[in-house]
Structures are given as structure tokens and as C-alpha cells.
Amino acid sequence: MATVAAEGSLGLDVDPAEVHLERPARREHGDWSTNIALVTAKKAGTNPRTLATALVEVLERHLPDHVVAVELAGPGFINFRLDDGWLHEALAAVLDEGEDGYARPDIGHGEKVQVEFISANPTGPIHVGNGWWGSYGDALARVLARTGYDVSREYYVNDTGGQIRTLGMSLLARRRGEEVPEGGYRGDYVTELAAEYDGTDDVTVAGRWAADRILERIKATLTSVGIVFDEWYSQASIEESGAVDETIALLASKGLVYERDGATWFRSEQLGDVRDRVLRKANGDATYLAGDLAYHRDKFLVRGFDRVIDVFGADHHGQVASLFAGVEALGVDRSRLEVKLGQMVSLVDGDEAVKMGKRAGTAIDLDTVIADIGPDATRILSLMSSLDQAATFDLAAVREQSAENPVFYVQMASARIGGVGRKAVERGVVRASLADVDLSLLTHPRELEVVRCLEELPEVVADAAADRAPTKVTTWVRHLASCFHGFYHDCPILADDVDPALAQARLWLVEASRLGLAIGLGLLGVHAPEAM
RNA sequence: GCCCCUGUAGCUCAGCGGAUAGAGCGUCGGCCUCCGGAGCCGAAAGCGCAGGUUCGAUUCCUGCCAGGGGCACCA
């Protein structure tokens, strides 16, 4: 606002996309800062410092609300120093809007978006990577839901095809008390399921039965870490509905399909893929790609999602170009599809590397990790690094040094907040209504730091949504916890020598902290315990 | 060979166009008559290499080096 007023009176030609009003990294650079002189000087035919000096003079003649000083700094930044009043107003706004209303920027405008994630084949327990990418998908969905998107979470169940027959074959072998043949699934869970199976010897029937049982286990595992879905979409249902044939026919009608060597091919190369792909094999089976294209046709053209975000593991990178080619071929603008690839996750346990391999049954189950370090630690750890980072986690460090775990650091803040509430009750202190409390008594640097942090949350949430990066929320939550611990350490709330009016203001600051933590942890799917 | 991701403090990770690059663990040194010290304060220590774009690059572009992943009529 200040910059707008200034540019008006000087008649500058500014590019709004380049001009930023931001919080400087360093406190001594003021509360807010703008680079307007830096980016506009060349067009104005002058140098940044000269232009900034002129702008500062204009601004000093009519200071905006709460601004007490405007300064030229560094290469041409204009820094604004505010009185504490703006922070008190910000705090009041946080409390006024509350847990449901605060930090809910509408950037989605009701756009209908589907987030598809995990979608692990129901041929065995899900592994740690699924859990990591699942935490991402779930948190992203929560962030999008908070920022005005109409979100649907979906798990695509690959309950058909060769792998299901392989699963059935493995199950039947175990039931006969034999070894699982080469290429089959050898995990102990197959043996356990075989003992319960009393159906026919048909491999598909046996496979389907086992897949159903395994899927139930997967659901239970995911539920235990707070990951839930709106839809479990069956691949078999797509094939059985005839949608695959319809999709191939649709592509054929556009001249994008041809026959060769007995198979049906998709001309994906002309749409950006590295080569053409098979849709129907010589044996008559549809390929995974054909089913996936039918599935995406269903997402965009039948169910009408404006946007689809697919979260895959990096090991599925090879199918991305084909998918984009297919979506475009179906007449859907490819910008409506986003594919997020989660890099591989590796675990170590002290000095020992933890093996990851699925068919051999040596993969570390997500269940095992959850049982080891707990659901909250599992979730927050998986949301500490970005999806693009091939992260390594040391189970021993999280387990044995649990007191030093970041989860505990954040939850400790939550527990301390709960402790203040309990202590207040114990001492008969009742929080007065906000209208009767003077928040301007909050002048301690530690108190103001907490407010500054809380004030940033709406922007953090908006950035997390726009960048599809829920990890930004994790960073913020840890920062808030840090600010709160500092405040808690230096600013007694219920001690005898604290002025009652100040105690009231501090109680409300504690409440605002609780609220901020609840919003942040809620977006991450981590509990905010009142006691530990 | 081609495609994607990553190289930031001893270790694990944030930051991703701005002014003196952050956190946790580890190391070293302080703080408990006080609401949970599972905390707080301080110190040492870092942007793989080389060009380019820019007023300004850890951040964007190119090349190189190193690591991970992918290139099926499997899913």
C-alpha cells in the first residue's frame, strides 16, 4: 500500500510482478521491506539508491498506519519499521478468526481437484516409501482443502492382471505346502493367508481373494497414521465396465492407434513420448497403460475433475510421458494433470542398512516402522524433507534419541500449552474475554516473535498449496514451537509477581499459539497432545 | 546412450532471486528457590566444480563431476 502511494506520486513505471513487499531476514532491517527501487531504477533512468531516497522522502511526508520509520538500506532497499500495534492487531485477528477461520486463504476458488496417491499394488504390505509419499499426498490434500480447493483423495487399486495371478499362484503353492515358484511373492504373509484360504484352485480367484485381504491390512495401516481416502478405485471395475475398449476406440477414432505384430499400439511418440506404446497385447490383454488411460479419461471426462495430481514413486518415472501423451490424446489439456514423483526413501538402523526389496519379502513394512517409532514421528519425519529429496532416515536415531526427536520438540510445545491451562485451573485463574484484555501489554521481544510467526501462517499455507509443498508447513510448525519455547522460558504467565493484566494478555498469546499449532499440525496429520 | 531427481555445517535435512545462508543431532561453554530443563542462551563449522543471465545467484540457464531412480506386448 505504501509503495503504491509512492509510485503514484512519482509516476513510475513499475512491474507489480517484480516488486515485493516482504519481511526481511534480519530484524535490524525493519519489519517490512521492499525492493521497488532496485527493480524500477533502470526504467526510471536513475540508480536504485537515488530513486529509493526520493521514495523515502515521499513516504516520510505521510507515513502509513503503524509505520514509524522508513529507511534506505543496502543497495536500495526501502525498509519499514512499524510500532508494535500492528502485531497486537495481528494477534487479535488470529484469535478472532480462530482455528477454523484463520490461515484459510482462498487460492483454489472451488477448483475440483483429485489427489491420487499411494495406489500400491495389493500384493503385499505397503513399504516405507509408500508411507512417506502417502504422508505427502495426504498432507497436500489437507493443505489444498484449506486453501479453497474441492479435494478428493483416491487410491487406485490394481486388482487385476498378471500380478494378481502371480499372487494367486503363490498362495496356492503355499497352501499345498510347496515353495513359491520363481518370480512369486515369498513373504510370510502369503503363508499366513494360505492357511486361511478355503476357495478353489483357480489362480485368479485365489489372487483376488488374497488381494482383498491384503487391501484390508493396507487400509488399517494407513488409518493408523491418519491417512484416509474418499475413494478406493478398482482397476478391475474399469476393465469390466468396457471403459478400456471405449478408450482405445476413442484414440483409434483420432487416428492414434495402429496394429503391429498382433498388438494394438498407441502413437504416443508424436505426443512427446520417447516411443510408441502397446495398448493391447498380442494375447488380447489390455496393458497397464490402456487401463491407466481409461482411468484418467474417467477422472477428467466422466467425473469432471478440473485438475488431477498423481503422486507416484520415482520408480514409475518411465510411465509419465506416456500418461501425458494419452491425456492429451483424449483431448484434455495436459496442464490439468500434475505428476509428483517421490524419490526413493532409504532407512538405516544405526550402522546397518535396512534392506528394501518387495518380492523377496525383505522390504521394511510401514507397519514395522510405525510400531517402532510411532505414527506421529513417522508422519512428521516423512514431511520434513521435500518429495524430490532421496532421504535417508536413521531409525536408531529416532528411536534411541527419542528425547531429541523433532516430533517431541513440537509436541513438547503443545504439552506446555496444555500445562499452562491445567496450571491456570489449579490456581483458579480464569481467562477473561478477549474484549476485556489489553494485548498491547505484550511488548517482550519473545512475545512479539511468537506473534510475528503466527502472522506468517496464512502466507505459509498459501505457499505450501501453490508449490504443492506441505513440507513448508513442517518448517513453520518447528519455527512456531521454537518461538513458543523461547517465550515460555522468558515470560512467566502464572507466577505470583506477574501483573494480572499482563497474565491475561499472555494467556491469550498461549491460546493463539495453541491454535496455530493445531492448524499446522492438523495440516500435517500429526497430533497436538495436551500432555506427554 | 537417453530421461527424471539430488549434491548446503562432521551427520540428517530446511531455504530456492535479494542485504551477515537456518534447524536438529554431534562437539565445546553457560542457565534449574521459576507455569513440564523432552527447554533456553552462546561458540566452532557449510552452498560439488566452471561458465552465463541479472543491479544482485545457494536459488534461474548451460557444461562437467558425483550419487539415486527410470528407459517391457510387468504393473
Side-chain angles (χ1 to χ4, degrees):
Chain A
M1 288 177 291
T3 54
V4 171
E7 81 195 45
S9 63
L10 291 181
L12 292 174
D13 175 21
V14 302
D15 178 357
E18 278 193 292
V19 175
H20 304 297
L21 185 62
E22 58 194 10
R23 300 170 194 74
R26 312 189 67 79
R27 180 67 357 88
E28 55 270 33
H29 293 143
D31 296 292
W32 290 89
S33 175
T34 180
N35 63 344
I36 185 168
L38 267 345
V39 299
T40 312
K42 186 175 267 183
K43 274 185 284 189
T46 179
N47 68 66
R49 286 191 63 98
T50 304
L51 177 58
T53 303
L55 288 169
V56 168
E57 278 175 21
V58 172
L59 286 164
E60 282 179 332
R61 262 181 267 135
H62 23 292
L63 292 174
D65 284 351
H66 294 304
V67 174
V68 295
V70 184
E71 296 154 3
L72 163 65
F77 288 102
I78 298 173
N79 296 337
F80 299 88
R81 227 165 271 283
L82 311 197
D83 62 32
D84 293 344
W86 79 282
L87 288 172
H88 299 134
E89 284 182 12
L91 175 58
V94 172
L95 291 165
D96 187 51
E97 292 175 28
E99 190 173 326
D100 288 334
Y102 185 61
R104 195 179 276 287
D106 181 13
I107 59 178
H109 306 300
E111 187 176 88
K112 200 174 162 194
V113 55
Q114 180 201 63
V115 183
E116 183 210 326
F117 56 105
I118 304 183
S119 300
N121 296 339
T123 52
I126 56 174
H127 58 74
V128 178
N130 294 133
W132 249 242
W133 309 324
S135 294
Y136 168 86
D138 183 72
L140 176 61
R142 290 172 191 241
V143 168
L144 293 176
R146 197 175 181 94
T147 51
Y149 289 88
D150 178 8
V151 182
S152 181
R153 305 159 204 223
E154 187 149 310
Y155 188 121
Y156 185 45
V157 184
N158 290 305
D159 53 0
T160 181
Q163 49 169 353
I164 294 297
R165 289 194 291 274
T166 301
L167 178 63
M169 175 265 286
S170 306
L171 184 84
L172 293 172
R174 286 297 191 198
R175 187 166 72 165
R176 290 190 300 268
E178 298 166 9
E179 277 301 302
V180 173
E182 195 62 33
Y185 297 98
R186 295 157 182 257
D188 291 340
Y189 63 92
V190 177
T191 310
E192 290 165 20
L193 287 174
E196 296 175 36
Y197 181 62
D198 59 3
T200 72
D201 283 344
D202 182 292
V203 290
T204 301
V205 170
R208 286 267 177 101
W209 177 87
D212 282 347
R213 298 297 306 273
I214 291 169
L215 198 59
E216 288 310 311
R217 289 196 194 180
I218 290 174
K219 286 184 186 181
T221 301
L222 294 176
T223 300
S224 75
V225 280
I227 296 177
V228 292
F229 288 90
D230 298 298
E231 198 77 47
W232 298 76
Y233 208 92
S234 160
Q235 181 178 4
S237 74
I238 284 218
E239 295 190 359
E240 287 157 11
S241 72
V244 175
D245 292 329
E246 289 170 22
T247 301
I248 293 176
L250 177 57
L251 295 177
S253 74
K254 299 187 180 193
L256 293 168
V257 167
Y258 62 94
E259 302 291 325
R260 192 180 78 200
D261 301 333
T264 304
W265 293 72
F266 170 38
R267 296 185 194 281
S268 50
E269 185 171 355
Q270 62 183 251
L271 291 169
D273 200 349
V274 295
R275 38 170 286 202
D276 288 349
R277 305 282 173 177
V278 172
L279 292 172
R280 188 173 295 289
K281 306 179 207 172
N283 70 5
D285 284 353
T287 59
Y288 179 83
L289 174 63
D292 212 17
L293 293 188
Y295 179 42
H296 281 77
R297 186 184 71 130
D298 184 73
K299 294 183 183 197
F300 286 112
L301 303 178
V302 177
R303 285 189 278 168
F305 287 107
D306 297 312
R307 178 174 301 280
V308 169
I309 302 176
D310 290 337
V311 182
F312 300 151
D315 53 339
H316 288 68
H317 165 66
Q319 69 198 54
V320 175
S322 320
L323 184 55
F324 273 107
V327 163
E328 186 171 325
L330 292 168
V332 174
D333 190 315
R334 61 205 291 160
S335 69
R336 288 166 61 193
L337 173 66
E338 294 177 34
V339 176
K340 310 303 287 184
L341 294 179
Q343 296 302 311
M344 296 309 189
V345 177
S346 51
L347 293 177
V348 294
D349 195 340
D351 295 332
E352 189 183 346
V354 178
K355 287 273 174 70
M356 313 266 272
K358 198 167 183 187
R359 301 242 164 161
T362 57
I364 281 285
D365 298 346
L366 180 57
D367 269 332
T368 307
V369 173
I370 295 169
D372 197 343
I373 66 177
D376 283 335
T378 303
R379 283 205 66 143
I380 206 164
L381 280 172
S382 60
L383 290 166
M384 291 229 302
S385 54
S386 84
L387 244 214
D388 291 335
Q389 182 72 239
T392 302
F393 292 89
D394 185 347
L395 286 174
V398 178
R399 184 172 52 232
E400 289 162 23
Q401 303 166 10
S402 61
E404 308 298 342
N405 189 297
V407 188
F408 288 83
Y409 184 79
V410 172
Q411 293 194 328
M412 168 80 183
S414 179
R416 280 179 152 178
I417 288 168
V420 170
R422 286 188 293 277
K423 190 61 74 173
V425 170
E426 204 174 283
R427 299 194 180 175
V429 177
V430 178
R431 199 170 60 203
S433 87
L434 188 54
D436 298 328
V437 173
D438 183 4
L439 295 178
S440 72
L441 295 172
L442 300 172
T443 57
H444 192 286
R446 297 287 213 172
E447 295 167 333
L448 300 179
E449 274 307 300
V450 175
V451 181
R452 279 195 178 87
C453 181
L454 288 168
E455 193 269 334
E456 291 174 10
L457 182 57
E459 201 175 312
V460 169
V461 173
D463 285 349
D467 298 345
R468 317 290 192 234
T471 176
K472 287 175 189 281
V473 176
T474 312
T475 303
W476 179 85
V477 162
R478 297 173 70 198
H479 182 229
L480 176 64
S482 170
C483 290
F484 182 81
H485 284 309
F487 155 67
Y488 183 90
H489 184 267
D490 285 0
C491 302
I493 300 159
L494 298 167
D496 296 336
D497 57 349
V498 176
D499 174 66
L502 176 59
Q504 284 295 328
R506 285 179 172 168
L507 281 172
W508 278 105
L509 181 57
V510 171
E511 166 60 12
S513 303
R514 184 201 63 74
L515 189 157
L517 216 45
I519 294 171
L521 290 176
L523 290 172
L524 302 177
V526 176
H527 294 98
E530 291 184 19
M532 288 173 70

